[in-house]
């Protein structure tokens, strides 16, 4: 789905609407221009350039905005932006020039988030944002996501970690076998009610509209 | 790089300089009259030819590809421009050089389009064009050679022309030009947006595509640069040797890949510096020039020594990368980022 959303793989069906307007996305650049950001569940494959520095990773999706007319990069501004995210997210590293591959999983995840937040998204999709990272980093990631939601960013969290879903979500959409199976309000959703929909026990759309 | 400790790239440069020094000392004890200015002059002139090729190769390797056709491109451009100059001796020198670069870039474009548009593996594509370009040369020339006598006098003179001399050491214009190309490439790779794109595309192509980088254009650019610089080297080759036969430039693919790998560019793409490539090229040509004069070993072992160097460099890189990762993993265990401890761990320049 994410690949289709970003215009890399063609969508088999359905359409994309952003703020009520239909959007045709043919390339990642177009997706970014529409304010979309997608933080992949797979840090190594779709996420980070591990041999590159933290700063280079954070600035990559909007590298154009750091280059002048001749393509010369403003490295000071790159460093400043990376530093802002590193401090705000408490990324722990030997320095902004450290290759991302040398960081711990949790810190890599934060670099991923920083990279996409740097594009100033209006819609942020995070896929399994805390899989395989330790509890401290997980709490940090949750804090960052809540903060962003507070700033008015629409956030779609894709997660198979139920407690995470329940603690973060305003609305819970349950998918079963690739299809939307039901929707619950985040305030009243419980592990049990979500599981009931996920397993197909509850017919149609669950107890909330 | 800037916060304490040396980056692996800097360490590599220092290590290469150390090896370079050891090789000089070793051969100085083995060969009479080794440390002469003539050694420097000859070696630096051959470095001037291999360096542009290796720098171009570095761009290609950075994007996870390889260009095996560079030797054939050198041969074709040396021959083509030689023929051009023989036919039009009044051609201004800058035009002749530009023609060589353009001709090389054209060959590079063929490689780049085949690799980027059709998604073919570059090792196969350029193995094919290695043979095809060479055959074009053999067919086009009818086996005839370009001779020094047929060239305008300024061409061989250019290869001998000194920018300045230091004691007996002659610093030739050709050497300065090759160094300037290397420096320019270094700036492109480290300071320009396209440089970042080469690195990103090689380090993680999927992530780069996701971040909006045009992988096809990036790969095509790398091959065009490689071809253009091989074209420039073709002109240098013509100037230095004057006599160009259909085997001109044979084996430069091995030498350029050797310089790139010994210079510390990761053969799996993404990382490396052309300053390392400069040291790699210098080391390879130094050993090459020294083995010719080393009585203990037949000069036919030169290729084998080059092959051994490449294998040693790759093995060393693999071992170092493994150790570095292990050590860093131990130093930074997966523990929480306690808010109190985290700011202390951040470097000075990471704070806003």
């Amino acid at each position: 789905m994410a690949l289709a959303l970003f215009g890399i793989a063609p969508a088999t069906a359905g359409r994309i609407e952003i703020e009520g307007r239909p959007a045709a996305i043919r390339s990642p650049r177009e997706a970014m221009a529409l304010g979309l950001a997608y933080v992949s569940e797979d840090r190594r494959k779709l996420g980070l350039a591990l041999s590159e520095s933290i700063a280079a990773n954070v600035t990559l999706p909007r590298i154009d905005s750091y280059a002048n007319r001749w393509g010369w990069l403003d490295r000071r501004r790159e460093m400043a932006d990376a530093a802002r995210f590193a401090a705000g997210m408490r990324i722990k590293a030997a320095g902004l020039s450290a290759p991302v591959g040398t960081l711990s999983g949790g810190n890599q995840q934060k670099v991923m988030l920083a990279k996409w937040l740097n594009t100033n998204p209006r819609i942020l999709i995070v896929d399994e944002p805390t899989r395989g990272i330790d509890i401290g980093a997980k709490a940090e990631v949750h804090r960052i996501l809540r903060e962003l939601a507070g700033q008015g960013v629409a956030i779609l969290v894709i997660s198979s970690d139920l407690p995470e879903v329940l603690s973060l979500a305003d609305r819970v959409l349950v998918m079963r076998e690739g299809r939307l199976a039901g929707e619950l309000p985040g305030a009243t959703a419980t592990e049990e009610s979500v599981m009931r929909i996920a397993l197909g026990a509850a017919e149609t759309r669950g107890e909330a509209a | 790089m800037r916060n304490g400790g040396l980056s692996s790239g800097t360490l590599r440069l220092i290590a290469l300089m150390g090896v370079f020094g050891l090789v000089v000392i070793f051969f100085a004890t083995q060969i009479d009259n080794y440390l002469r200015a003539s050694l420097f002059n000859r070696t630096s002139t051959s470095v001037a030819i291999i360096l542009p090729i290796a720098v171009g190769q570095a761009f290609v390797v950075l994007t996870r590809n390889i260009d095996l056709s560079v030797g054939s491109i050198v041969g074709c451009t040396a021959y083509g421009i030689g023929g051009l100059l023989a036919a039009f001796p009044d051609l201004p020198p800058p035009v002749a050089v530009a023609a060589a670069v353009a001709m090389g870039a054209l060959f590079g474009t063929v490689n780049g389009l085949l690799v980027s548009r059709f998604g073919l593996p570059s090792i196969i594509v350029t193995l094919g064009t290695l043979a095809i370009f060479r055959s074009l040369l053999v067919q086009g020339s009818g086996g005839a050679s370009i001779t020094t006598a047929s060239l305008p006098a300024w061409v061989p003179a250019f290869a001998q022309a000194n920018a300045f001399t230091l004691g007996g050491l002659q610093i030739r214009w050709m050497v300065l030009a090759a160094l300037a190309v290397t420096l320019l490439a270094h700036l492109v790779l480290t300071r320009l947006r396209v440089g970042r794109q080469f690195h990103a595309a090689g380090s993680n192509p999927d992530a780069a595509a996701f971040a909006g980088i045009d992988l096809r254009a990036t790969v095509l650019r790398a091959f065009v640069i490689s071809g253009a610089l091989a074209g420039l080297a073709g002109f240098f080759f013509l100037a230095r040797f004057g006599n160009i036969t259909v085997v001109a430039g044979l084996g430069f693919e091995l030498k350029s890949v050797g310089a790139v790998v010994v210079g510390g560019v990761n053969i799996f793409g993404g990382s490396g510096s052309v300053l390392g490539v400069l040291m790699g090229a210098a080391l390879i040509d130094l050993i090459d020039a020294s083995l010719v004069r080393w009585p203990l070993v037949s000069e036919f072992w030169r290729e084998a020594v080059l092959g051994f160097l490449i294998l040693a460099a790759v093995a060393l890189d693999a071992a170092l990368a493994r150790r570095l990762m292990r050590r860093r993993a131990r130093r930074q265990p997966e523990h929480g980022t306690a808010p109190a401890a985290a700011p202390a761990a951040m470097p000075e320049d990471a704070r806003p």
Side-chain angles (χ1 to χ4, degrees):
Chain A
M1 186 191 79
L3 291 172
L5 209 53
F6 252 60
I8 290 178
T12 47
R15 67 204 155 85
I16 305 165
E17 274 182 24
I18 292 171
E19 287 165 7
R21 242 170 288 148
I25 299 172
R26 288 178 307 262
S27 73
R29 271 166 192 272
E30 288 183 2
M32 279 183 249
L34 287 166
L36 272 175
Y38 170 72
V39 179
S40 154
E41 63 175 316
D42 189 342
R43 284 193 295 271
R44 281 172 193 274
K45 190 159 187 312
L46 287 180
L48 297 166
L50 295 178
S51 61
E52 294 288 287
S53 71
I54 295 176
N57 270 282
V58 169
T59 57
L60 189 65
R62 43 182 298 234
I63 194 73
D64 286 346
S65 68
Y66 295 95
N68 71 9
R69 204 155 13 128
W70 296 281
W72 191 268
L73 292 171
D74 183 348
R75 296 217 300 184
R76 198 173 302 166
R77 202 152 57 77
E78 281 191 90
M79 279 302 196
D81 282 1
R84 192 159 45 79
F85 282 110
M89 295 188 171
R90 298 174 190 147
I91 294 172
K92 237 182 115 200
L96 295 175
S97 306
V100 168
T102 62
L103 304 184
S104 71
N107 283 303
Q108 287 186 7
Q109 189 67 31
K110 289 185 199 167
V111 174
M112 279 271 284
L113 267 172
K115 170 179 168 177
W116 288 106
L117 291 185
N118 194 23
T119 64
N120 296 317
R122 289 180 295 147
I123 304 165
L124 175 68
I125 302 166
V126 283
D127 199 348
E128 303 285 357
T130 58
R131 180 188 280 171
I133 69 177
D134 63 89
I135 206 114
K138 188 168 172 173
E140 283 283 319
V141 168
H142 287 169
R143 178 183 66 80
I144 293 160
L145 290 178
R146 281 204 195 88
E147 237 174 71
L148 286 167
Q151 288 161 19
V153 178
I155 303 181
L156 176 61
V157 181
I158 304 169
S159 178
S160 50
D161 179 346
L162 255 184
E164 172 169 284
V165 170
L166 295 177
S167 77
L168 285 175
D170 297 321
R171 289 198 298 156
V172 180
L173 300 171
V174 185
M175 307 272 293
R176 170 159 34 97
E177 289 166 3
R179 295 186 158 275
L180 197 62
E183 178 177 334
L184 298 167
T188 59
T190 61
E191 290 200 26
E192 199 200 331
S193 60
V194 171
M195 284 311 288
R196 212 181 307 138
I197 300 175
L199 296 172
E203 294 300 309
T204 63
R205 308 195 57 211
E207 50 248 49
Chain B
M1 275 163 227
R2 49 181 57 207
N3 331 295
L6 294 166
S7 75
S8 59
T10 316
L11 282 177
R12 178 62 161 242
L13 269 181
I14 295 171
L16 279 170
M17 287 177 195
V19 173
F20 192 89
L22 287 178
V23 170
V24 170
I25 293 169
F26 173 77
F27 282 112
T29 65
Q30 295 288 313
I31 301 168
D32 296 332
N33 294 327
Y34 180 72
L35 288 174
R36 289 284 180 84
S38 64
L39 173 78
F40 173 85
N41 298 340
R42 199 170 332 108
T43 309
S44 65
T45 312
S46 38
V47 170
I49 293 174
I50 191 67
L51 189 54
I53 309 173
V55 166
Q57 186 75 260
F59 278 83
V60 173
V61 173
L62 268 180
T63 65
R64 292 194 174 183
N65 287 292
I66 196 162
D67 188 349
L68 296 178
S69 70
V70 284
S72 298
I73 297 178
V74 169
C76 285
T77 46
Y79 197 95
I81 301 306
L84 187 73
L85 282 167
F88 306 99
D90 296 331
L91 215 61
V95 175
V97 175
V101 171
M103 190 172 163
L106 198 69
F107 286 116
T109 307
V110 172
N111 286 329
L113 285 177
L114 286 171
V115 173
S116 66
R117 295 287 137 180
F118 301 105
L120 303 171
S122 57
I123 190 164
I124 302 301
V125 166
T126 57
L127 193 61
T129 52
L130 174 155
I132 293 167
F133 296 161
R134 182 67 63 186
S135 300
L136 285 178
L137 174 56
V138 175
Q139 280 303 314
S141 66
S145 302
I146 300 277
T147 59
T148 312
S150 67
L151 295 172
W154 66 267
V155 177
F158 168 72
Q160 301 293 324
N162 296 327
F164 57 91
T165 55
L166 265 177
L169 303 182
Q170 299 169 350
I171 314 293
R172 302 202 162 128
W173 281 113
M174 213 161 94
V175 177
L176 284 188
L179 288 176
V181 164
T182 309
L183 199 66
L184 200 67
H186 182 68
L187 287 179
V188 166
L189 284 173
T190 56
R191 296 284 197 273
L192 292 191
R193 176 180 39 188
V194 283
R196 204 57 71 69
Q197 289 165 346
F198 287 123
H199 275 111
S203 182
N204 187 341
D206 293 322
F210 225 74
I213 285 168
D214 188 340
L215 291 180
R216 287 177 166 190
T218 305
V219 170
L220 175 62
R221 263 182 223 133
F223 277 100
V224 173
I225 290 172
S226 175
L229 292 182
L232 179 69
F235 175 78
F236 288 174
F237 191 91
L238 171 74
R240 185 181 185 201
F241 296 105
N243 296 309
I244 305 296
T245 66
V246 293
V247 297
L250 216 60
F252 276 170
E253 56 287 332
L254 179 62
K255 250 185 157 182
S256 65
V257 171
V260 162
V261 170
V262 171
V265 177
N266 188 336
I267 199 75
F268 300 114
S271 66
S273 129
V274 290
L275 301 182
V277 174
L278 165 65
M279 282 309 297
L283 185 62
I284 283 173
D285 266 337
L286 173 75
I287 293 176
D288 221 26
S290 306
L291 282 181
V292 180
R293 294 170 58 196
W294 197 24
L296 281 183
V297 168
S298 150
E299 69 164 295
F300 298 109
W301 284 99
R302 274 155 53 190
E303 296 263 296
V305 169
L306 177 53
F308 174 76
L309 266 182
I310 295 175
L311 290 180
V314 172
L316 179 76
D317 280 348
L320 281 180
R322 265 201 302 273
R323 255 189 61 190
L324 206 65
M325 282 297 177
R326 261 211 307 272
R327 212 172 42 196
R328 286 201 163 123
R330 226 175 315 157
R331 208 183 330 141
Q332 296 191 333
E334 294 264 324
H335 58 64
T337 41
M346 287 304 298
E348 225 26 75
D349 71 342
R351 290 191 199 132

